Amino acid sequence: MQGAQKLVKHFINIKDIPVKDLKKIIFDAKNRKAKRKNLNNLDPDKDIPLKGKLLIQMFEKSSLRTRLSFYLAIRQLGGGVLNLRTDELHLFKGGESIHDTAKIISNYGDIFMLRTDSDKKLIEFKKYLNIPIINGLSPSSHPTQILSDVFTIEEIKKKSIKNLNICWIGDGNNVLNSLIEASTKFSFNLSIGSPKKYETNKTLLNWAKKNMAKIKIYNDPKKAILNSDIVFADKFISMNDKINKKKKIKDFKNFQVNSKLMSLAKKNAIFLHCLPASRGYEVSSDVIDGKQSKVWQQALNRVHVQKSIILYCLEKLR
Ligand code: CP
Ligand code: NVA
C-alpha cells in the first residue's frame, strides 16, 4: 500500500511503552496463566488468538530461557515459530543488508524477536520491518525479562510492586537498565549496590530522575540491601562484556549475594536472578538453591508474560 505507513507496535525498551500498556500486558498474562492450569505445554489457549501466525526469532548470542519461552509462548497462542541462526544467513557476511533481510522477514513472518550484540541493529531492523520487533536482549537492555520479573514479584508478594523495596546487587548492565526503566514506570523504590566505576550509565539515570524515579545508588552492598523485599543479582560478566575478566571479578568480590548479605534484607525477602548464574561468584549456592530463591518460578513466567507482549505488539490484547 502506498501512502500512509502502518503504525507498528514494537517492544524494544520499557521506557518507550506507556505504563497503562505495561499494566495491561501484566493483567492479560495473569488471566491467561490462570486459565492454563490443566493444559499441557503445547496445548493452545482456548481462544487461540494467533492461529496461523508465525514468530521468527533470531539469536546472535547464546540463549536457553528466551529461546524456549518464546517458542512455548507463540505455540500456546496458536501460532508457529521459526528459529534463525545468524551463521546460516547471508546477512553481513554474504553481503545481504539488514534492509533486505528485514523486508524478507516481514513478508514471511508476523512478528520478529531479536537477541543481538548491537543496539544499532535493533534500530536498523525496526526501520525496515513492516512487522513488530521484540528485543530479546541487547547490550543495553533486556525488557522482556524485567517485565516478566515485575509479574513474578507481584505474583509472589500478592501486592503492587509500587509498595515494595527492590534491590539490585551487582553490575550496571543491560538487565539493570531495564529494571531502572521499570522502576520509573511502576514507581517502585530501587536501591542499587554496585562497585565504583561499575554503576549504570548516567544518561539513563538522568532520564529516570526526570521521570520521578525513586532510585538510590550505593557502593556498599550492605547499605543497598537493607530493608529490601526483593533482591536481584546477575552475572558479573555479561555476554557483551569486553573487559579484563580477572580484574572485574576481583572488583566485585564483596558483591556476592550470600546468606550473610541476604540476612540484611527483610526476613521474607525473595531472591531473583534472570539466569544463567555463576554459583560462587554473584550468588552463593545456599542462596540460589535456598528457600528465599524464586528463580525457577521467575524463569517459567517468561512464557506467560511474553505471550501477552506478543499480543500487545499484534494489537490483540484483550
Ligand atoms: N534470562 C535469559 O534471558 O536467559 P537466556 O540467556 O538463557 O535466554
Ligand atoms: N546480563 C546478562 C543477562 C543474560 C540473560 C548478559 O547480558 O549476558
Side-chain angles (χ1 to χ4, degrees):
M1 191 176 66
Q2 288 282 313
Q5 220 191 335
K6 199 175 79 176
L7 256 186
V8 179
K9 278 193 171 147
H10 303 287
F11 194 89
I12 295 182
N13 283 310
I14 287 182
K15 71 175 165 49
D16 303 328
I17 309 206
V19 65
K20 74 168 193 339
D21 289 345
L22 296 171
K23 286 185 175 167
K24 254 168 103 176
I25 292 170
I26 287 184
F27 182 73
D28 183 73
K30 199 170 159 188
N31 286 338
R32 285 190 178 275
K33 183 176 178 182
K35 286 188 186 149
R36 286 196 62 83
K37 291 235 162 78
N38 300 315
L39 295 180
N40 295 308
N41 278 338
L42 285 181
D43 290 338
D45 288 3
K46 290 271 150 40
D47 57 340
I48 322 181
L50 296 186
K51 187 166 180 288
K53 299 284 185 189
L54 177 64
L55 163 75
I56 298 179
Q57 52 176 351
M58 186 163 110
F59 293 88
E60 293 189 312
K61 295 189 202 175
S62 310
S63 169
L64 174 63
R65 283 143 288 268
T66 306
R67 189 190 306 273
L68 290 176
S69 54
F70 269 103
Y71 176 86
L72 279 191
I74 190 77
R75 292 293 304 268
Q76 291 182 5
L77 294 169
V81 64
L82 183 71
N83 279 295
L84 297 181
R85 285 175 41 162
T86 33
D87 61 339
E88 292 177 343
L89 303 182
H90 300 283
L91 184 62
F92 306 125
K93 66 177 188 318
E96 188 152 37
S97 61
I98 289 186
H99 172 278
D100 290 4
T101 307
K103 290 283 167 210
I104 296 299
I105 287 172
S106 301
N107 289 345
Y108 280 78
D110 297 285
I111 184 157
F112 181 49
M113 198 285 290
L114 177 65
R115 168 166 288 195
T116 182
D117 57 14
S118 147
D119 289 288
K120 267 199 198 139
K121 284 186 197 163
L122 268 172
I123 304 309
E124 280 273 289
F125 266 108
K126 177 184 157 195
K127 190 164 147 197
Y128 298 122
L129 284 165
N130 296 319
I131 59 173
I133 182 168
I134 298 176
N135 174 4
L137 183 145
S138 74
S140 78
S141 68
H142 197 2
T144 62
Q145 175 73 53
I146 285 299
L147 193 58
S148 174
D149 294 347
V150 172
F151 174 92
T152 301
I153 289 166
E154 295 193 334
E155 179 178 70
I156 292 170
K157 289 292 182 181
K158 296 187 174 49
K159 53 168 101 156
S160 164
I161 195 167
K162 75 173 192 301
N163 300 318
L164 294 166
N165 297 331
I166 315 296
C167 165
W168 173 274
I169 303 289
D171 194 20
N173 66 13
N174 47 3
V175 181
L176 175 60
N177 288 346
S178 293
L179 187 63
I180 289 171
E181 294 179 18
S183 83
T184 68
K185 292 284 175 177
F186 291 93
S187 308
F188 56 80
N189 292 317
L190 176 60
S191 163
I192 303 169
S194 305
K196 276 208 174 85
K197 294 193 289 206
Y198 295 98
E199 294 107 344
T200 197
N201 78 70
K202 292 252 172 348
T203 319
L204 182 64
L205 277 177
N206 286 337
W207 170 85
K209 270 185 208 150
K210 272 192 205 133
N211 285 278
M212 316 291 285
K214 299 187 273 180
I215 300 177
K216 291 207 169 112
I217 297 176
Y218 302 91
N219 296 127
D220 179 352
K222 294 199 252 4
K223 285 188 182 151
I225 204 171
L226 267 188
N227 210 28
S228 295
D229 296 287
I230 315 291
V231 179
F232 274 96
D234 187 12
K235 273 182 180 276
F236 294 150
I237 297 170
S238 283
M239 289 185 277
N240 58 294
D241 261 357
K242 291 175 189 73
I243 34 88
N244 179 332
K245 294 190 174 141
K246 268 196 186 147
K247 180 175 182 330
K248 191 164 185 188
I249 286 174
K250 214 169 128 206
D251 291 344
F252 276 81
K253 77 174 185 318
N254 295 326
F255 286 76
Q256 182 186 85
V257 179
N258 49 35
S259 48
K260 202 168 158 206
L261 192 63
M262 262 320 262
S263 72
L264 300 175
K266 283 190 187 164
K267 238 193 173 138
N268 62 351
I270 61 166
F271 173 78
L272 297 178
H273 189 309
C274 65
L275 306 178
S278 299
R279 286 169 175 75
Y281 290 88
E282 76 273 11
V283 61
S284 61
S285 299
D286 59 337
V287 167
I288 195 167
D289 299 320
K291 277 203 188 113
Q292 286 170 288
S293 171
K294 300 291 174 195
V295 298
W296 311 116
Q297 183 174 345
Q298 177 188 10
L300 201 50
N301 275 336
R302 301 275 310 274
V303 177
H304 303 291
V305 175
Q306 282 159 199
K307 283 165 73 178
S308 305
I309 291 173
I310 294 171
L311 289 171
Y312 160 77
C313 289
L314 292 174
E315 316 248 17
K316 295 267 177 152
L317 215 52
R318 293 166 301 185

